[in-house]
Amino acid sequence: GQNIDQPTEMTATEGAIVQINCTYQTSGFNGLFWYQQHAGEAPTFLSYNVLDGLEEKGRFSSFLSRSKGYSYLLLKELQMKDSASYLCAFLSGYALNFGKGTSLLVTP
Amino acid sequence: EAGVAQSPRYKIIEKRQSVAFWCNPISGHATLYWYQQILGQGPKLLIQFQNNGVVDDSQLPKDRFSAERLKGVDSTLKIQPAKLEDSAVYLCASSWDSYEQYFGPGTRLTVT
């Protein structure tokens, strides 16, 4: 079957680093995505990993281990505006399968 | 470049009524998706179109939901009749290459 799991909530301090983990199970895998979703808004694309390793894009980095079914999103130099839900999703065939999202609260 | 457009932004209906949502994807994007996002959950794919053909509608409740993309551009999602559990945000997304998807602002449906 297909399954994807990530923590429900996390809290971190402005200026700090936070890592959001995601584990998944699927028979078909074409890539791992991270999206950011602010309350009441549409998801916006953050990153895409198809091969193992770390992809860095500014303050955000994403890591993938296909053998472990594991990914994480790393956010550095946290800002208040980073308070949002972070959605992990794997691509199986042509369909994106989303997790429930991790609600991140950044505090002063 | 203009983003994905959706209307209406909000809709309140009573159960057993009908409702339709409209989506206009980013120009040139061949793939269009409709997702349902229930509060506190991630988006769930309802249907995926490639041009005007259906690629995946395995999670679409076909007894009450229907969708079309007649000319390979705009799309309409309909619910008839609505149930209380259909209360959700309906997101439309489009992509050029079936990888990076661009989402519209969504339609928030409340069924009373």
Side-chain angles (χ1 to χ4, degrees):
Chain A
Q2 297 185 326
N3 188 48
I4 187 164
D5 195 34
Q6 53 183 127
T8 304
E9 295 179 337
M10 298 183 72
T11 302
T13 306
E14 190 176 16
I17 299 172
V18 70
Q19 177 174 312
I20 303 174
N21 296 323
C22 172
T23 57
Y24 65 89
Q25 290 179 307
T26 178
S27 54
F29 179 81
N30 290 331
L32 195 291
F33 292 77
W34 286 94
Y35 279 80
Q36 180 191 58
Q37 187 174 28
H38 285 100
E41 298 183 12
T44 55
F45 171 82
L46 288 178
S47 70
Y48 167 61
N49 294 68
V50 65
L51 299 176
D52 291 352
L54 188 68
E55 293 280 344
E56 297 188 75
K57 189 186 290 186
R59 293 189 300 115
F60 293 5
S61 303
S62 57
F63 172 84
L64 175 66
S65 169
R66 289 172 296 170
S67 62
K68 296 181 179 178
Y70 169 69
S71 173
Y72 68 72
L73 180 69
L74 193 70
L75 292 78
K76 304 175 186 175
E77 301 169 14
L78 280 173
Q79 302 176 9
M80 299 298 290
K81 66 178 182 179
D82 296 330
S83 291
S85 181
Y86 291 85
L87 299 163
C88 175
F90 65 81
L91 187 66
S92 179
Y94 297 106
L96 265 182
N97 298 269
F98 283 90
K100 293 184 178 182
T102 298
S103 181
L104 174 66
L105 177 64
V106 180
T107 60
Chain B
E1 129 185 300
V4 176
Q6 290 188 247
S7 67
R9 292 296 311 278
Y10 305 92
K11 190 73 177 180
I12 301 173
I13 61 172
E14 295 181 352
K15 59 184 179 184
R16 292 188 288 275
Q17 286 188 323
S18 302
V19 66
F21 313 127
W22 174 82
C23 173
N24 183 238
I26 293 172
S27 178
H29 282 193
T31 309
L32 184 147
Y33 314 78
W34 283 103
Y35 290 88
Q36 179 193 58
Q37 187 173 23
I38 293 172
L39 188 64
Q41 308 270 324
K44 183 183 84 170
L45 180 68
L46 293 176
I47 189 167
Q48 177 183 345
F49 292 95
Q50 181 77 16
N51 295 308
N52 61 348
V54 175
V55 174
D56 184 351
D57 64 356
S58 58
Q59 297 191 91
L60 186 74
K62 298 180 185 65
D63 58 334
R64 298 184 300 107
F65 286 63
S66 64
E68 59 183 14
R69 192 184 185 200
L70 291 175
K71 296 182 179 179
V73 182
D74 293 8
S75 177
T76 303
L77 176 70
K78 297 179 181 177
I79 308 175
Q80 179 179 12
K83 292 185 176 181
L84 295 176
E85 58 260 37
D86 298 333
S87 293
V89 175
Y90 290 84
L91 294 163
C92 179
S94 70
S95 69
W96 178 74
D97 58 4
S98 296
Y99 287 92
E100 184 175 345
Q101 297 182 22
Y102 295 83
F103 285 82
T107 296
R108 184 175 297 276
L109 174 67
T110 302
V111 182
T112 63

